Structure formats: structure tokens, C-alpha cells
Amino acid sequence: MALVRLYFKSVSEILQAEDVGLLILVNEEKTRQLSVICDAAMKYQFGLRVSKADITPQLLPEVLWQVVKRNLDLRFQLIINDIIDGKYRSLLYMPDILQAIPIRISDGVLLAYLADFPIYIDEQLLMRQGVPYDDSQTRVSVPVNIISNEMLQEALERAVSEEDYKKASQIRDELRRREKKDDKP
């Protein structure tokens, strides 16, 4: 498995979905980006750190990281290696002892950001899930397979109310594809 290093670029909102945010990760060459959906609480946590709020050194993730760093002589990495049921599978990997612990991707990215350790993704997964990166773009593309059924249903309702029937048809097809997948034994 070939790995590609990613860097946290930004956190942003999804229009018309205040309870959801996007974490944007880019490769070293800044040619591809990966969008990771996060909840409102995580969007807020990233906002605190990106804005360099004075309280962040006293928050739980930073305090726990200081405890780990002072008491363990280990290196850490975040490895993103799969997507299962619309969620990225990520592992907090310790290469010195060859151990990995599953971690929610948004938590892993936050920890990597505040502790300054590398994030890697399987190259094939980045090619499949990533999109071309353009620093001048204000809109972000998100692969439909990382969007929850609830979000898709809301998007379908919005597309119908806006009379965007082409988009509504695409969303409906994705929901049906997922239903068929869930019905298989």
C-alpha cells in the first residue's frame, strides 16, 4: 500500500447545513484534496485552534497530548486507509511499536493538527475520493459516498423544492443504490 502525506488546509461550513462542517486536507503537491465531513462540535473545535484562541492550551485534547508527549517516547501518525458505509476508516498508528488504534477521522485530524504529526492516506483511496485542488476555488466538491443518508434526504428535498430535477434524480439514484446494498445478505 503506497501512502500519500496530507496536510490540514482548512475547515469550512456546508451551506444550508449548520450542523455539519468540512475539513479540507491537501497532498504535499497541492494537486488533490480530500474533504472530510465533521459535526458542528468538531467544526467549533477546529475553529478555536485555527483562530489561535488563548484558551486552547487548557482544553482537554491539548492537555492530554502534553501528558502523552511527556510520558511516552513514541511517534504517531494518522493513517486513512478505507471508506466503509460512507465513513473514512482511520487509524492512530504508532510505528515504533507497530500498533494501530481505530479513531474517528475528524478526531484523528484534530489530534494530528494540534500535536503536529503526519496524516497519510492510501494513494488509491485519495485518487478515488479526492478531487483536484485549486486554492482559488471557494466551492468544494464532496464525493457522494461520504454523505450520510440523512444528509442526502435533506439534499433531495432541497433539490426538489428548488426544482433542480437533475440533481434530485442523481441523489435519488444514490439513495436507491444504498438501499439495494443494504438489502443484500
Side-chain angles (χ1 to χ4, degrees):
M1 165 173 65
L3 296 175
V4 174
R5 181 146 184 199
L6 296 177
Y7 295 86
F8 172 76
K9 179 68 177 167
S10 64
V11 60
S12 61
E13 293 183 343
I14 296 179
L15 294 178
Q16 301 172 343
E18 293 177 9
D19 58 336
V20 179
L22 279 181
L23 306 178
I24 306 301
L25 306 173
V26 297
N27 64 351
E28 281 185 282
E29 298 81 16
K30 294 186 178 179
T31 57
R32 295 204 62 80
Q33 76 178 31
L34 185 74
S35 301
V36 175
I37 293 178
C38 67
D39 58 23
M42 189 58 66
K43 183 174 69 170
Y44 174 75
Q45 292 298 318
F46 269 95
L48 285 175
R49 285 150 183 97
V50 170
S51 70
K52 308 281 191 231
D54 288 338
I55 61 169
T56 54
Q58 300 160 14
L59 295 177
L60 184 62
E62 283 78 4
V63 170
L64 288 177
W65 175 248
Q66 290 304 314
V67 169
V68 167
K69 191 167 79 172
R70 290 177 185 167
N71 293 293
L72 296 175
D73 188 27
L74 291 175
R75 293 175 298 139
F76 292 86
Q77 302 171 347
L78 181 67
I79 308 286
I80 307 164
N81 64 358
D82 203 355
I83 187 164
I84 300 170
D85 296 328
K87 294 180 182 174
Y88 288 110
R89 186 177 104 180
S90 58
L91 303 166
L92 182 60
Y93 181 61
M94 295 158 278
D96 300 324
I97 59 173
L98 302 177
Q99 287 189 1
I101 301 168
I103 188 170
R104 185 174 73 155
I105 188 167
S106 56
D107 291 316
V109 172
L110 179 67
L111 184 58
Y113 179 75
L114 70 91
D116 194 30
F117 61 74
I119 301 170
Y120 295 102
I121 187 169
D122 175 83
E123 183 176 35
Q124 292 178 345
L125 183 60
L126 178 61
M127 295 311 294
R128 200 171 58 242
Q129 293 297 123
V131 296
Y133 175 70
D134 181 354
D135 199 24
S136 65
Q137 283 285 16
T138 57
R139 300 185 76 166
V140 177
S141 296
V142 178
V144 72
N145 65 349
I146 66 166
I147 299 173
S148 70
N149 287 349
E150 296 80 24
M151 289 177 69
L152 282 176
Q153 192 61 47
E154 289 174 19
L156 176 61
E157 292 167 9
R158 192 169 39 256
V160 169
S161 71
E162 294 171 357
E163 298 182 7
D164 186 345
Y165 299 116
K166 181 178 179 183
K167 183 187 282 184
S169 174
Q170 292 169 337
I171 296 168
R172 182 204 63 220
D173 292 346
E174 174 63 17
L175 285 167
R176 285 182 180 165
R177 185 189 65 73
R178 289 181 183 192
E179 286 173 8
K180 285 181 185 176
K181 182 180 172 188
D182 290 343
D183 289 343
K184 290 183 180 178

